[in-house]
Amino acid sequence: MQVFIISIEDEESPRLNKFLAQPFFQNKKLPFNKIGIKGGELSAKVYFEQAVKGRNKPLTPAELGCSLSHLEALKSFLATNDNYALIFEDDAIIPSDLSIDTLEKELKKIKLPQNTLFSLGGIQMKESRKVRGALKERKFFKKAILEVHPHFYNRVNYAVAYIVDREMAQTLVEYHQRHRKADDWSYLFDFNDQSHILMTFLIDHPEITAGEINTQLSSIEAERSKYEDLPQSQYGNSLGYNLAKLRYKTYPL
């Protein structure tokens, strides 16, 4: 399994060092790749072409940089022969007893379907509490797994920690030909109806409120909004959505 850390912090950063001090990374044999593209340092031409041109509401430099960083991780993963990639953002809070070996063993037990994005954290956050789907029979480290129904893909937020297989990595690279926020998967099922989003609460994330100014937390949390110029999903509204709200369950915390 390839491991990637999305971070724009330099090597001496207190934030990055705090993140890497977690037991998960104390095994020196664990290789990882750190990727961080600073949107504010992109040329005006690149920023305009990728984040502004043809949009009613541009991506901010922070949003574009974050999306490009995740895409670079996915492309780097596809250049390897590994079957899965684990992608962290540098504010992920990892259980002290979790290791890459135990993670891989547990992953084999649940037999993920092909073309899956398996979110390990975020379902517990306020922005994602309205996500609904079907609870899987098998658990992951004794944690429930929710397979999200397409009507609720637009409720899925946070890319703090997730696993993708090769099929999903390729799907996401193609999905982001016109860049969206890194955690905007609202149109994913429309784009590829073989896609799966599964969610569990294994990895935690600091609570954030709108207007947060603590630079140790996410810098783009308060920038969430829909972009009407991007293709919009047929899911997430209409009668079908209302029926899905009655049929499908939220994640049990």
Side-chain angles (χ1 to χ4, degrees):
M1 179 184 291
Q2 292 285 312
V3 179
F4 296 91
I5 298 170
I6 305 300
S7 177
I8 59 173
E9 301 291 317
D10 61 43
E11 302 302 326
E12 303 303 318
S13 158
R15 171 175 172 145
L16 183 60
N17 284 320
K18 180 180 178 182
F19 175 74
L20 293 175
Q22 296 180 92
F24 185 84
F25 295 103
Q26 295 311 297
N27 181 350
K28 301 302 182 183
K29 296 181 180 179
L30 174 63
F32 62 84
N33 296 286
K34 173 181 167 294
I35 298 175
I37 298 174
K38 296 181 180 180
E41 295 182 358
L42 297 171
S43 71
K45 180 179 180 180
V46 169
Y47 175 67
F48 177 79
E49 290 290 335
Q50 298 191 17
V52 178
K53 187 177 180 180
R55 297 175 185 260
N56 292 330
K57 183 176 177 60
L59 291 175
T60 67
E63 289 168 339
L64 178 60
C66 185
S67 292
L68 291 174
S69 297
H70 281 268
L71 281 172
E72 186 62 29
L74 295 171
K75 292 174 183 177
S76 296
F77 162 50
L78 288 171
T80 73
N81 294 319
D82 285 36
N83 293 322
Y84 294 101
L86 169 61
I87 301 176
F88 288 113
E89 292 184 343
D90 65 5
D91 50 3
I93 302 172
I94 306 170
S96 60
D97 59 349
L98 184 67
S99 70
I100 191 68
D101 291 336
T102 58
L103 186 65
E104 289 178 332
K105 287 178 183 177
E106 198 72 10
L107 197 62
K108 288 180 180 179
K109 293 179 184 178
I110 62 173
K111 298 179 181 179
L112 292 178
Q114 287 188 327
N115 205 17
T116 291
L117 186 154
F118 186 20
S119 170
L120 304 183
I123 188 66
Q124 76 279 12
M125 303 292 285
K126 182 179 179 181
E127 291 284 343
S128 295
R129 291 303 296 130
K130 292 183 180 180
V131 173
R132 289 178 178 265
L135 291 169
K136 307 291 281 185
E137 182 176 346
R138 187 178 290 275
K139 294 189 175 183
F140 190 66
F141 291 102
K142 299 182 180 180
K143 301 281 189 175
I145 301 172
L146 184 77
E147 178 154 10
V148 182
H149 187 277
H151 271 303
F152 302 92
Y153 277 26
N154 65 326
R155 297 288 189 177
V156 179
N157 291 300
Y158 300 99
V160 61
Y162 60 95
I163 293 171
V164 291
D165 61 8
R166 300 188 66 82
E167 291 81 2
M168 177 53 74
Q170 185 62 48
T171 296
L172 290 173
V173 168
E174 295 170 1
Y175 176 69
H176 279 280
Q177 286 298 308
R178 191 159 192 214
H179 298 308
R180 294 172 177 259
K181 295 177 185 178
D183 62 352
D184 176 0
W185 301 300
S186 59
Y187 191 70
L188 186 59
F189 195 80
D190 303 77
F191 182 80
N192 185 324
D193 63 8
Q194 299 303 304
S195 299
H196 301 270
I197 297 181
L198 275 60
M199 303 185 79
T200 193
F201 177 24
L202 181 66
I203 307 297
D204 211 346
H205 184 284
E207 282 289 347
I208 302 169
T209 57
E212 175 64 58
I213 60 173
N214 185 346
T215 58
Q216 291 295 99
L217 304 181
S218 173
S219 62
I220 63 173
E221 179 62 21
E223 298 172 351
R224 297 186 184 278
S225 63
K226 292 182 179 180
Y227 301 138
E228 295 181 356
D229 56 311
L230 293 173
Q232 297 297 298
S233 176
Q234 64 178 311
Y235 300 96
N237 48 46
S238 74
L239 177 61
Y241 169 68
N242 291 327
L243 292 174
K245 286 174 66 177
L246 297 175
R247 179 177 178 184
Y248 292 95
K249 300 179 179 179
T250 57
Y251 187 85
L253 289 174

